[in-house]
Amino acid sequence: MSEDFRLHILGCGSAKPTLRHWPSAQMLTFRGRSYLIDCGEGCQWQIQRMGLGFSKIRAIFISHLHGDHCFGLPALLSTLSLLKRTEPLDVYGPAQLEEFLVPQLEFFRDSIAYEVRLHYVGTDRVERIFDDGLEVSTFPLEHRVPTCGYLFREPRPLPHLKRDMVIQYNIPEYARRKIKEGADWETPEGQVIPNAELTSPAEPPRAYAYCSDTRYLPQLAEQVKGVDTIYHEATYIEEHAESAHQRFHSTAREAALIAKAAGAKQLVIGHYSSRYKDGEAQLLAEAQAVFPNTILANEGLSVEI
Ligand SMILES: [Zn+2]
Ligand SMILES: [Zn+2]
């Protein structure tokens, strides 16, 4: 059975506040650690509401410096200090993060007692930026300000040990891990059984791609090819495609075209324009017409990657 690798939606509205949604924020959980993706206003309440806790936050990844993706950050950093965090915290984001956050860290230096380590990432290239067992890369997006997406990939799982081989050669418990890691097995009689006969390949590592605010970029499908779950902003319905293009956002149909071309298993759409007061049913229908396995992001939603 594979390990729990899960996406939690904390907020999926867009810039103009509504009572229906909170601004963009998500949390990924893997191996007892959490990774925060964007940090819209109210993010710290949403973390509590979903019972996710603050102490396991390992790093924060900001896609761009629009308020609906980062206004929650200073508040959260301060709260972590109130909660007596001592472990350093890594915060990744485009270079504008410095202008936004450094003066606030300076102003609140007495109330943030742990080290906040800022890492500036490029928004024009694919780049591996982080690996603590979960591997994180950036990929370029095109929005009104420098913006990147993030791709999260679990380590390659170890191959499976064939049960019949374990029985046939009476392989003891202590030797099994080594074989999974690539070792051959030598029988007491000195016969070497090659690793390939003892194991079968593991499932490919699971991956999640966060495609934040962006205009429709057909080439994005290449960069997120084969990931299991894609989140893609879907601010507008097709009727408002003109607004989408003018404001460097995407329609639900365009989000679905990316998921389809990338061969994803599941698409989560969000970042809904505040103009859809009757809900997001039409966004969903337009996306599903292209990519049936689409679901609507919603605060409180938690999906397995
Ligand atoms: Zn936004
Ligand atoms: Zn934006």
Side-chain angles (χ1 to χ4, degrees):
M1 208 185 112
S2 45
E3 298 173 85
D4 199 44
F5 184 17
R6 194 167 277 276
L7 167 70
H8 310 267
I9 304 293
L10 302 167
C12 56
S14 56
K16 202 181 280 179
T18 72
L19 294 175
R20 299 176 49 81
H21 293 291
W22 292 80
S24 293
Q26 307 188 347
M27 199 175 253
L28 266 186
T29 48
F30 181 66
R31 289 188 178 167
R33 289 171 162 178
S34 347
Y35 306 83
L36 190 61
I37 312 167
D38 278 340
C39 192
E41 204 178 341
C43 168
Q44 53 177 338
W45 280 273
Q46 294 298 92
I47 290 173
Q48 294 179 73
R49 201 163 275 144
M50 289 190 75
L52 292 165
F54 294 101
S55 61
K56 291 171 181 146
I57 299 176
R58 171 69 189 81
I60 301 177
F61 301 90
I62 301 293
S63 66
H64 66 298
L65 279 295
H66 273 161
D68 56 320
H69 298 255
C70 66
F71 279 164
L73 193 51
L76 176 68
L77 296 181
S78 164
T79 297
L80 294 179
S81 201
L82 280 178
L83 296 172
K84 309 260 183 274
R85 184 181 181 109
T86 52
E87 195 194 339
L89 178 65
D90 294 296
V91 182
Y92 292 79
Q96 291 73 15
L97 184 62
E98 180 175 19
E99 242 178 294
F100 168 70
L101 201 57
V102 169
Q104 305 199 53
L105 290 173
E106 190 55 29
F107 186 83
F108 291 107
R109 62 185 171 276
D110 295 335
S111 49
I112 299 179
Y114 59 94
E115 186 191 359
V116 178
R117 299 191 293 223
L118 299 182
H119 307 269
Y120 307 119
V121 302
T123 56
D124 58 352
R125 57 188 177 270
V126 172
E127 189 177 18
R128 166 109 53 105
I129 55 161
F130 179 91
D131 192 348
D132 76 333
L134 186 67
E135 183 189 303
V136 186
S137 313
T138 56
F139 51 87
L141 296 174
E142 282 186 28
H143 193 41
R144 304 191 303 281
V145 296
T147 304
C148 65
Y150 291 99
L151 197 153
F152 301 82
R153 196 182 298 277
E154 70 173 340
R156 181 165 287 281
L158 293 174
H160 301 291
L161 205 48
K162 291 182 186 163
R163 234 193 122 62
D164 52 339
M165 289 289 156
V166 173
I167 294 166
Q168 184 179 337
Y169 294 108
N170 197 19
I171 299 172
E173 190 73 45
Y174 73 83
R176 294 178 196 173
R177 173 91 195 177
K178 279 225 151 67
I179 295 173
K180 282 183 158 203
E181 286 168 353
D184 299 329
W185 171 246
E186 194 177 337
T187 66
E189 295 76 33
Q191 187 193 356
V192 175
I193 316 298
N195 185 272
E197 279 180 35
L198 302 168
T199 58
S200 57
E203 304 77 27
R206 291 166 298 170
Y208 168 63
Y210 176 71
C211 305
S212 188
D213 296 10
T214 185
R215 74 178 179 88
Y216 175 49
L217 286 179
Q219 67 269 31
L220 187 55
E222 251 339 284
Q223 281 147 20
V224 298
K225 196 136 212 132
V227 307
D228 297 79
T229 302
I230 294 180
Y231 167 90
H232 195 295
E233 74 121 295
T235 310
Y236 295 105
I237 57 172
E238 213 45 35
E239 193 190 326
H240 301 137
E242 197 47 44
S243 301
H245 303 155
Q246 277 166 8
R247 305 201 40 82
F248 284 76
H249 280 299
S250 301
T251 66
R253 184 179 156 272
E254 290 167 339
L257 287 171
I258 298 292
K260 188 180 176 189
K265 296 200 180 92
Q266 128 175 277
L267 169 67
V268 183
I269 55 170
H271 201 271
Y272 315 120
S273 164
S274 60
R275 68 170 86 178
Y276 306 125
K277 294 185 174 52
D278 298 327
E280 293 85 32
Q282 196 175 341
L283 289 160
L284 182 63
E286 290 182 2
Q288 284 181 336
V290 175
F291 187 80
N293 199 14
T294 303
I295 57 171
L296 289 171
N298 212 349
E299 286 74 9
L301 176 75
S302 159
V303 290
E304 176 87 44
I305 300 299

